Amino acid sequence: MISIDQLIEIGTVQKLHGLNGELTASIIDHVFDEVDNCPYLVLDMEGIFVPFFIKSFRFRTDKTILISFDGIDTPEKADLLCGQKLYFDRRCFTPEEAEEYDADNEEDESYVGYTIIDSHFGRLGKIIAIDDQTINVLFIVEHQGRELMIPAADDFVEDIDDEECTITMNLPQGLINLDEAESEEA
C-alpha cells in the first residue's frame, strides 16, 4: 500500500486531450522527468493512492504535459482522472537521486515562513513561497494581502537570523514600491 509520506506532489490532471485517453496535466515539479526509472505516477483516487503506469508523455509547455496511462484509452476512463493530484513515488529514486532531490528542495524551502525586514521599509511580511523558475530566485512575500516578489540576491541580504526566522535586507530604493501597492488597495 502506498502512503502519502512516500509521495511527492508534482501536479494536477487538468482535462482530456483528444479521444484516446490522453490527458493534460499542470506540473509543479519535474522530478519524474529527471529520474531514470519512473514507470508510473500515483493519483489519489477517493483517498487511495493508485499507481498509473505511464504509456507516454511529452511537454506541451514547461509547466504542462500531455500524458497517457496504460489502460486509460477512452474519454470516459480519462475523465475519471481529471482534477486528481499527480504524485511521484519516492521509491523510484536511486539513493543518489533521493539525496540530490532532498538537498535541492531543502535549500529551496528553507526560508519559507521567515519574515523579511527591510532597512528602509521595516517589516515587509512572511515568505510564503520561493520562485526558482527564473534565473533570479525570488522570495514571494505576503504583504498586507498582496504578494511582493523580492529578489533573493545575496547582495541585498544583510543578516539571516535562524532563531528568530528573519531575513534583514537592504533593498534598493524603487525596487519595490509599497506606496503604489498600498494606494491600489484603497
Side-chain angles (χ1 to χ4, degrees):
M1 185 163 193
I2 301 171
S3 65
I4 189 68
D5 58 326
Q6 295 171 295
L7 302 175
I8 299 167
E9 184 179 341
I10 62 165
T12 305
V13 177
Q14 297 297 318
K15 61 183 180 178
L16 297 170
H17 181 81
L19 301 174
N20 297 320
E22 191 171 41
L23 295 157
T24 301
S26 62
I27 298 298
I28 58 174
D29 192 324
H30 290 260
V31 65
F32 77 100
D33 185 44
E34 298 166 2
V35 172
D36 290 333
N37 186 21
C38 176
Y40 62 91
L41 294 176
V42 177
L43 281 81
D44 181 351
M45 304 298 292
E46 299 181 15
I48 299 171
F49 296 107
V50 179
F52 285 84
F53 286 85
I54 301 168
K55 185 190 301 183
S56 67
F57 79 92
R58 63 189 188 279
F59 283 91
R60 189 172 197 181
T61 69
D62 64 335
K63 296 192 183 282
T64 306
I65 62 169
L66 298 175
I67 190 163
S68 295
F69 294 111
D70 287 342
I72 305 297
D73 52 8
T74 66
E76 294 78 22
K77 290 178 182 177
D79 193 47
L80 297 174
L81 306 182
C82 292
Q84 302 300 323
K85 289 185 178 181
L86 278 174
Y87 297 92
F88 173 82
D89 191 331
R90 296 178 66 83
R91 294 176 294 183
C92 291
F93 279 133
T94 64
E96 295 81 20
E97 290 168 337
E99 188 174 309
E100 183 177 328
Y101 181 83
D102 289 340
D104 287 348
N105 286 298
E106 182 178 308
E107 182 179 302
D108 290 346
E109 298 300 322
S110 62
Y111 296 116
V112 171
Y114 277 52
T115 299
I116 298 288
I117 301 169
D118 180 67
S119 56
H120 303 289
F121 296 110
R123 181 186 166 102
L124 296 178
K126 285 194 186 264
I127 298 172
I128 58 172
I130 297 175
D131 182 355
D132 61 357
Q133 300 298 312
T134 62
I135 293 172
N136 298 317
V137 175
L138 299 171
F139 292 136
I140 310 299
V141 176
E142 174 80 31
H143 175 77
Q144 297 179 353
R146 293 188 74 245
E147 290 183 359
L148 298 177
M149 291 189 255
I150 299 174
D154 290 337
D155 294 346
F156 301 151
V157 176
E158 290 183 343
D159 182 56
I160 299 174
D161 185 335
D162 290 320
E163 286 184 24
E164 296 292 320
C165 295
T166 59
I167 300 174
T168 304
M169 302 184 82
N170 185 2
L171 298 170
Q173 294 291 336
L175 182 67
I176 56 172
N177 191 344
L178 295 180
D179 295 332
E180 184 177 294
E182 290 165 2
S183 67
E184 288 175 6
E185 292 175 358

